[in-house]
Amino acid sequence: MLKQTILGAAFAGLALVTTASAHDTGDKVTPNFEQAIPNIPGKTLTALVVDYAPGAASAPHVHSKTGFVYAYVIEGSIESKVNDGAAHVYKAGESWSEPPGATHSISRNASQTKPARLLAVFVADTGDKDLTRYLK
């Protein structure tokens, strides 16, 4: 029963993140996992899979001020630019991290012909469901 309650709450919260990406230009965000971290009270680990069609991109966005982000390229190649850092293309098997409150001005499939897939893992305050806020 507790497991069902936790999973229901997790997917309800992740639906907000998934819905927010509906205005993007070609990415698809799918909830993968969410779990309170038992040995770090007040923190939750949330994992999302981001699929990019060839040439697709996420809208520029800012991540939660409570959330540390780890990104891992599962398939293809992703171009990313975080804060004032240089844009970089990461290939399958490569990863990077983003500090809390990071501005992600570029996040896109580096290929015009092949799909790309990214696993984004957030460690944020429990109850912080605004993990990504899109810039206008």
Side-chain angles (χ1 to χ4, degrees), residues 78-82 86-90 96 98 104 106-108:
I78 306 279
E79 182 177 12
S80 178
K81 181 179 181 340
V82 178
H88 184 82
V89 175
Y90 297 89
W96 71 94
E98 301 175 23
H104 208 161
I106 298 173
S107 183
R108 66 177 161 226

Side-chain angles (χ1 to χ4, degrees), residues 53-65:
S58 297
H61 54 277
V62 176
H63 290 298
S64 166
K65 291 182 181 181

Side-chain angles (χ1 to χ4, degrees), residues 35-45 66 123-126:
Q35 175 73 47
I37 303 173
N39 61 336
I40 308 176
K43 294 294 182 182
T44 295
L45 184 141
T66 76
V123 175
D125 286 354
T126 299

Side-chain angles (χ1 to χ4, degrees), residues 10-127:
F11 285 112
L14 290 173
L16 295 174
V17 176
T18 305
T19 303
S21 71
H23 73 276
D24 290 357
T25 57
D27 68 339
K28 176 185 171 204
V29 179
T30 305
N32 179 269
F33 179 83
E34 184 173 274
Q35 175 73 47
I37 303 173
N39 61 336
I40 308 176
K43 294 294 182 182
T44 295
L45 184 141
T46 302
L48 305 168
V49 175
V50 183
D51 286 290
Y52 291 97
S58 297
H61 54 277
V62 176
H63 290 298
S64 166
K65 291 182 181 181
T66 76
F68 172 82
V69 181
Y70 167 76
Y72 177 82
V73 180
I74 299 169
E75 174 186 357
S77 55
I78 306 279
E79 182 177 12
S80 178
K81 181 179 181 340
V82 178
N83 292 332
D84 294 329
H88 184 82
V89 175
Y90 297 89
K91 297 178 179 167
E94 296 181 322
S95 60
W96 71 94
S97 65
E98 301 175 23
T103 298
H104 208 161
S105 58
I106 298 173
S107 183
R108 66 177 161 226
N109 187 340
S111 173
Q112 296 295 317
T113 59
K114 297 178 183 174
R117 177 175 286 164
L118 169 74
L119 176 67
V121 179
F122 294 77
V123 175
D125 286 354
T126 299

